[in-house]
Amino acid sequence: MSSATGQKPVDEAPVTQDLAREFGLTAEEYGNVLSIMGRTPSLTELGIFSVMWSEHCSYKSSRVWLRTLPTTAPWVIHGPGENAGVVDIGQGLAAIFKMESHNHPSFIEPYQGAATGVGGILRDVFTMGARPVANLNALRFGSPENPQTRRIVDGVVRGIGGYGNCVGVPTVGGEINFHPAYDGNPLVNAMTVGIARQDRIFLSAAAGIGNPVVYVGSKTGRDGIHGATMSSSEFDEDALAKRPTVQVGDPFVEKLLIEACLELMATDAIVAIQDMGAAGLTSSSVEMAGKGGVGIDLDLDAVPQRERGMTAYEMMLSESQERMLIVIHPDRTELARAIFEKWELDFAIIGHLTDTGHIVVRHQGRVEADIPLDPLADQAPLYRRPTAPSPEPAPLGPITDPVGIEQALIRLIGCPDLASRAWVWNQYDSTVGGQTVKRPGAADAAIVKVEGTSLGLALTTDCTPRYCRADARQGGAQAVAEAWRNIVATGARPLAVTDNLNFGSPEKPEVMGQFVAAIEGMGEACRALDFPVVSGNVSLYNETRAPDGSSVSILPTPAIGGLGVLDDVNRAIGLAMPDEGTLVLVGATRGELGQSLWLREIHGREDGAPPAIDLAAERRNGDFVRQQIEGGHILACHDVSDGGILVALAEMAMAGEAGCILSAPQSGMRPEAFWFGEDQSRYVVAVRDAEAFTLAATAAGVETRVLGQVGGDGLTLPSGATISKARLKAVNSAFFPALMDD
Amino acid sequence: MKAGIVVFPGTNRERDMAIALRVVTGREPVMIWHGETDLPDLDLVVLPGGFSYGDYLRCGAMAAHAPIMPAIRRFAEAGGHILGVCNGFQILTEAGLLPGALLRNGALRFLSQDCHLRVERNDTPFTRRWNAGDVFRAPMAHGDGNYIADDATIRELEDSGRIAFRYSRPDGRVDEGDRQTNPNGSVKAIAGVLSANLRICGMMPHPEDLVDPLMGGEDGKPLFEGLVEALVR
């Protein structure tokens, strides 16, 4: 804590251009501050400008590009701009969802970094009136050989579980990759999905001059001060010394806050509500007043405080967790107070709305800040940073198979990116709530029933960063398409996505080039699949310092969180091999091994072009599969992704009771290219009537190929060799326990 | 059967329990706030799962001193039936209504997975729908489920038949030392215990989360059906 370090309190520093630079403002940005204020700002004012204009809060490098993404559809109720995206799922209900990163804190202090990431995204969802019903998380860790990786995996998994399990929201899905590019900068992207009545959705725009502004939740402490600016700059050797800027979460208080807010939301007391996330009291008050076109006066003496002697600067910048700001109807304050007192949470009127158009912050009889809100928002920096195109990936030349099909499969299903995640999932409560229809690993997307209805939600997160590095445009499109495909494979209708765009420093033209290309690719796929972006988050400056002093960017990682709906959740299907049936491949195979896991695991190479993606074929194949599931013709379905067809079959066998007996691969193609190629837009399905299925496919213009029959106790290859299920499972489940020494 | 579910701050499986009771009884259970000091007229009190008071201090320790607890104690003394699941089991041991304690899982990690439970006797209201020796599946989701008691207590529980459920293999074999079979390391693989009058049952796994084929099965349903049979008026 700053008061305990013996250093001169930052409070006493005079505001200068040097201090502004320390706070992350450029000379030009500070010049704008001076012209808006017409005077030298106070320290608190400088703090407010610096966090509101940070990359994290202002999206100054990404905004111009984010605007190009499609965000509308007839079923979209609220797109980007609110705390989370809102879509119509039928029966008068809405799904509210968003994904958000907590990357930098999770490197510094993995448990609290991940835990507060979960807490923050939960608040973004319940602040809109939704009861959270599912959590997912997309995680990227460094190389398993890196000695730091184990510490980070352990802390992140414990943190996600520790928070999610306690608040009682099931963690139902997600993804994990390992790659040396994340060695000094893991990615923790947390997604929450909630359900609300469409006529009871709460927004953040403040209204009603004179209306009281209410603070509820935990008390304010000195934790997390300047967290937003920390995540807006590159990491350096001193990163670990920044531990005091990581916030500490209290999931018990969050649980009480959820219940108290939902109880209040059942009344007519609330005008507007927003959680205090990054930049805490500053961003919530500035954004609520700004959106409503009103002014706001705050009296910091009324803020519930955990520590003594906090300054205005510290209170405005604190990122203490589990706090909300509410604009309330004045004649309902006592009703609201009673609800929060029942839940033993702090409740304080800390200000009111004004007609001044300014935010005015008072503390101990002094005006500590007085800033006009319009220019604070309108004149926020906006950069069209230089971009450099990435080099075209050279096509993969001729390549040999040094190990054979059987050995390659064994190596693939045991590798870090494909090994069983059970060790991780088993630390997350996936059943609390009693609505989890498909738990992690049971289907391509998690299925959660909407309590009291026939509806089901299909939820997934997807991204293949190695494709994105080779070709960010293809990779961006592929991430969206894979999320869409995973939802389709359960029988659900894909509705919309949330995106979490994790990239390196935007000040590097090649990183900006990746960012722009990925957004282009995402936009193309979203348009082709009617799968708009309704919420999201950008995390830039994901860089680490190499020993030689150079700065190394992470793989471009535009993680996509997809949501779909089943009108009748009883029709959802999983990926487990059924007891009978014929296995049919849907979609065309050219045998694309560029950037494949086979290439990486067998040859140690990460090169070539990623598999091409034909969005028209994607749509055609997926619409066909979904119709066949709706018609009850498909027993099990699994998309073909990392590792290709044979890995998909092995995963189906391991999840089910039966094995399969495979026919010869497609002629005119090397066997390894057929079995391990990662061609897009494909599914493996098990059907009872293969003839009817393939006829229907032909009529729909969809290519199919019979792969074999369900049967036996393992994977029987065309050579006649059988890999037993026991062996598959033993290899598949070895990695995590070995890494974590458990 | 009139059932009431006690809600403490941090309880989070009360909705699951309400669904299970509704499915089996056809009636809506009453939710009882921890701050109450009296119980309504009930046949069954349920202490559901969750993290009452954030599991701070010790799981269940603070809830055991909640304002509602004296009323629950009176209900027990009058021969009332009480089911405590997961955190509810922890609260019952902290309140002294059941013997023993629940320690941190042996592997020191939260465990969320299906386990198999062997029914040790079937002449109780909680187990009458099964046969002794039957095995059923139930999800477990806890960080502190490692049952322990002193040797004399364990002997007394075994001698008087107050062990309701043990963790077992699907075929019913019990192996206390095997982490696959007895995941949290409980002594004698004990998963659930009974009071001396057989009217209070505490267990760590969640039968309430397996009462619907859509969610993976109905293995937990017999427990609630048995209670309805025994307690219907």
Side-chain angles (χ1 to χ4, degrees):
Chain A
M1 299 299 153
S2 59
S3 61
T5 61
Q7 293 168 356
K8 185 179 172 188
V10 69
D11 196 27
E12 291 172 25
V15 173
T16 60
Q17 189 161 316
D18 282 349
L19 186 67
R21 192 181 328 109
E22 263 181 58
F23 279 26
L25 293 171
T26 66
E28 192 193 340
E29 288 167 354
Y30 184 60
N32 282 341
V33 171
L34 291 178
S35 80
I36 288 170
M37 298 302 293
R39 59 177 166 79
T40 302
S42 71
L43 184 77
T44 304
E45 288 167 339
L46 182 71
I48 292 173
F49 272 101
S50 72
V51 292
M52 291 311 297
W53 288 6
S54 69
E55 190 68 61
H56 192 86
C57 291
S58 73
Y59 291 81
K60 57 191 170 191
S61 303
S62 58
R63 233 154 68 221
V64 289
W65 304 107
L66 296 175
R67 286 180 191 143
T68 66
L69 288 167
T71 59
T72 56
W75 52 87
V76 173
I77 298 173
H78 292 289
E82 285 300 333
N83 283 301
V86 183
V87 295
D88 181 353
I89 57 167
Q91 302 187 14
L93 298 173
I96 301 185
F97 69 111
K98 188 181 179 186
M99 179 154 52
E100 198 162 76
S101 62
H102 231 210
N103 302 337
H104 294 95
S106 298
F107 175 69
I108 296 172
E109 212 297 284
Y111 183 98
Q112 290 298 342
T116 54
V118 174
I121 195 63
L122 280 163
R123 286 191 296 283
D124 276 337
V125 167
F126 74 74
T127 192
M128 297 193 73
R131 177 172 284 283
V133 298
N135 282 331
L136 295 92
N137 49 78
L139 309 177
R140 265 81 201 182
F141 298 114
S143 161
E145 282 79 45
N146 184 309
Q148 292 272 14
T149 298
R150 189 181 139 160
R151 168 186 78 89
I152 294 171
V153 171
D154 182 68
V156 166
V157 171
R158 281 183 195 274
I160 289 170
Y163 208 98
N165 298 345
C166 181
V167 295
V169 176
T171 301
V172 296
E175 57 178 339
I176 301 170
N177 287 141
F178 292 87
H179 195 284
Y182 305 108
D183 271 348
N185 195 319
L187 302 183
V188 175
N189 297 172
M191 170 170 162
T192 293
V193 184
I195 299 291
R197 272 170 48 182
Q198 286 176 20
D199 59 357
R200 295 210 74 82
I201 290 167
F202 292 83
L203 305 180
S204 56
I209 306 304
N211 274 346
V213 176
V214 172
Y215 169 120
V216 299
S218 286
K219 295 187 194 326
T220 294
R222 290 191 171 94
D223 46 334
I225 292 174
H226 267 306
T229 42
M230 175 182 82
S231 59
S232 300
S233 60
E234 286 178 30
F235 263 14
D236 50 33
E237 317 76 58
D238 303 331
L240 289 173
K242 289 185 177 167
R243 196 172 275 144
T245 61
V246 176
Q247 314 86 322
V248 176
D250 183 344
F252 171 56
V253 171
E254 180 102 337
K255 169 67 174 163
L256 303 182
L257 197 55
I258 293 174
E259 299 303 333
C261 286
L262 291 177
E263 196 170 320
L264 182 63
M265 284 162 169
T267 73
D268 58 356
I270 297 174
V271 177
I273 179 167
Q274 177 156 334
D275 72 299
M276 295 191 217
L281 196 48
T282 293
S283 66
S284 54
S285 57
V286 165
E287 287 173 16
M288 290 177 81
K291 280 184 189 171
V294 295
I296 188 167
D297 269 26
L298 297 179
D299 172 13
L300 297 186
D301 297 314
V303 169
Q305 292 161 52
R306 202 170 59 213
E307 299 173 55
R308 264 181 292 185
M310 290 185 71
T311 64
Y313 170 86
E314 289 170 326
M315 275 188 266
M316 290 305 288
L317 277 280
S318 162
E319 292 191 0
S320 290
Q321 298 290 292
E322 293 95 21
R323 302 178 300 161
M324 313 283 282
L325 201 62
I326 307 175
V327 176
I328 209 159
H329 287 293
D331 55 349
R332 291 286 182 272
T333 45
E334 290 316 304
L335 167 88
R337 189 190 298 275
I339 290 173
F340 284 90
E341 279 175 359
K342 171 187 156 189
W343 289 99
E344 298 173 31
L345 293 167
D346 273 300
F347 177 100
I349 297 172
I350 63 162
H352 61 277
L353 302 184
T354 66
D355 61 1
T356 62
H358 283 229
I359 177 169
V360 178
V361 178
R362 292 188 169 81
H363 187 222
Q364 295 178 345
R366 278 174 44 186
V367 172
E368 295 282 355
D370 183 349
I371 303 174
L373 287 163
D374 281 350
L376 179 60
D378 301 343
Q379 292 179 41
L382 183 62
Y383 298 128
R384 185 179 276 269
R385 295 192 187 273
T387 62
S390 301
E392 282 268 307
L396 195 64
I399 193 150
T400 57
D401 173 12
V403 300
I405 300 300
E406 182 176 342
Q407 192 52 39
L409 175 66
I410 291 294
R411 278 177 43 187
L412 279 169
I413 61 165
C415 83
D417 277 354
L418 288 177
S420 166
R421 272 73 179 119
W423 182 90
V424 175
W425 297 332
N426 287 356
Q427 297 182 57
Y428 303 153
D429 189 340
S430 57
T431 54
V432 60
Q435 305 300 312
T436 307
V437 176
K438 298 288 181 200
R439 299 186 204 172
D444 279 352
I447 305 291
V448 177
K449 185 172 188 266
V450 180
E451 190 184 334
T453 74
S454 63
L455 301 170
L457 299 176
L459 309 168
T460 181
T461 73
D462 292 286
C463 181
T464 313
R466 62 183 190 278
Y467 294 174
C468 298
R469 180 170 65 177
D471 183 335
R473 184 175 178 145
Q474 289 278 358
Q478 192 274 342
V480 172
E482 187 172 348
W484 189 84
R485 205 180 300 147
N486 279 327
I487 292 166
V488 164
T490 66
R493 198 168 68 246
L495 292 180
V497 304
T498 180
D499 59 14
N500 202 149
L501 308 175
N502 308 274
F503 288 80
S505 167
E507 294 162 37
K508 291 181 175 174
E510 65 275 19
V511 170
M512 256 340 265
Q514 292 171 334
F515 184 80
V516 172
I519 285 194
E520 276 174 13
M522 285 169 53
E524 283 167 21
C526 289
R527 276 183 285 270
L529 302 171
D530 285 326
F531 201 33
V533 177
V534 295
S535 60
N537 167 245
V538 178
S539 172
L540 301 175
Y541 296 99
N542 289 291
E543 301 265 337
T544 40
R545 194 74 63 188
D548 67 358
S550 66
S551 176
V552 183
S553 306
I554 59 159
L555 302 187
T557 312
I560 300 296
L563 178 140
V565 68
L566 288 134
D567 295 330
D568 178 1
V569 67
N570 290 291
R571 293 214 165 254
I573 63 167
L575 60 79
M577 193 75 81
D579 302 333
E580 50 163 349
T582 302
L583 294 160
V584 182
L585 177 72
V586 176
T589 303
R590 290 175 300 274
E592 299 214 43
L593 287 172
Q595 296 296 338
S596 67
L597 274 191
W598 179 85
L599 189 65
R600 188 174 90 192
E601 296 301 320
I602 306 304
H603 284 277
R605 286 170 52 182
E606 297 181 53
D607 59 345
I613 185 157
D614 172 350
L615 292 167
E618 184 76 54
R619 178 81 193 236
R620 197 163 55 239
N621 296 354
D623 284 348
F624 171 72
V625 166
R626 195 177 66 252
Q627 283 155 15
Q628 291 292 309
I629 295 171
E630 283 169 358
H633 305 304
I634 295 182
L635 303 167
C637 181
H638 190 13
D639 81 312
V640 180
S641 55
D642 284 348
I645 296 170
L646 203 57
V647 165
L649 288 163
E651 288 171 345
M652 293 174 78
M654 286 188 284
E657 296 303 314
C660 60
I661 298 152
L662 299 176
S663 315
Q666 202 167 311
S667 57
M669 187 181 300
R670 296 183 60 94
E672 68 274 16
F674 178 75
W675 292 118
F676 301 117
E678 296 180 5
D679 306 61
Q680 295 296 297
S681 318
R682 298 184 301 165
Y683 306 78
V684 174
V685 300
V687 297
R688 227 178 251 119
D689 186 344
E691 199 181 323
F693 181 80
T694 49
L695 274 174
T698 308
V702 170
E703 197 171 316
T704 56
R705 178 182 178 83
V706 172
L707 292 170
Q709 298 295 322
V710 175
D713 180 44
L715 280 188
T716 303
L717 301 174
S719 66
T722 295
I723 311 170
S724 75
K725 209 145 37 163
R727 183 169 173 220
L728 290 173
K729 283 188 184 178
V731 171
N732 185 239
S733 59
F735 168 73
F736 267 101
L739 175 71
M740 304 309 293
D741 197 18
D742 247 20
Chain B
M1 179 181 76
K2 280 193 276 184
I5 301 173
V6 185
V7 179
F8 300 92
T11 293
N12 67 25
R13 261 184 164 85
E14 75 276 21
R15 296 159 71 85
D16 312 36
M17 189 59 77
I19 291 167
L21 288 166
R22 202 183 303 139
V23 163
V24 174
T25 66
R27 314 172 55 155
E28 201 62 36
V30 189
M31 292 291 175
I32 300 157
W33 185 241
H34 69 106
E36 302 289 326
T37 49
D38 283 306
L39 289 173
D41 178 31
L42 295 172
D43 303 309
L44 174 71
V45 169
V46 183
L47 275 58
F51 289 68
S52 58
Y53 296 94
D55 275 358
Y56 298 143
L57 185 58
R58 213 168 46 236
C59 302
M62 286 195 263
H65 296 281
I68 192 64
M69 288 310 288
I72 290 175
R73 210 179 291 279
R74 290 194 298 274
F75 181 78
E77 283 160 5
H81 289 80
I82 302 174
L83 172 64
V85 174
C86 199
N87 190 226
F89 184 17
Q90 294 163 341
I91 295 167
L92 289 173
T93 61
E94 285 287 342
L97 289 168
L98 287 174
L102 285 311
L103 300 181
R104 186 59 50 94
N105 293 343
L108 304 181
R109 290 189 185 277
F110 191 93
L111 283 171
S112 167
Q113 62 190 63
D114 279 356
C115 60
H116 289 90
L117 299 180
R118 189 178 77 190
V119 179
E120 297 297 289
R121 62 188 286 177
N122 73 337
D123 55 348
T124 81
F126 305 93
T127 58
R128 54 188 283 155
R129 274 294 188 108
W130 285 293
N131 293 315
D134 278 358
V135 175
F136 68 102
R137 196 162 50 92
M140 59 158 66
H142 58 248
D144 302 74
N146 183 355
Y147 187 78
I148 192 168
D150 59 56
D151 292 345
T153 304
I154 295 293
R155 223 171 10 254
E156 142 78 14
L157 288 175
E158 292 200 304
D159 291 349
S160 58
R162 287 171 57 194
I163 295 166
F165 308 107
R166 289 184 209 262
Y167 300 104
S168 78
R169 299 185 191 185
D171 65 5
R173 270 193 300 160
V174 169
D175 184 349
E176 186 185 337
D178 175 26
R179 234 168 88 181
Q180 300 299 320
T181 312
N182 182 27
N184 54 29
S186 290
V187 62
K188 306 285 183 189
I190 293 171
V193 299
L194 295 154
S195 60
N197 69 359
L198 307 181
R199 292 183 174 199
I200 304 176
C201 177
M203 63 192 298
M204 286 311 296
H206 293 280
E208 75 276 19
D209 279 326
L210 218 49
V211 296
D212 183 344
L214 184 63
M215 310 306 163
E218 296 181 282
D219 279 52
K221 220 169 166 180
L223 187 143
F224 299 98
E225 290 169 339
L227 283 166
V228 171
E229 267 178 11
L231 303 183
V232 77
R233 286 191 283 192

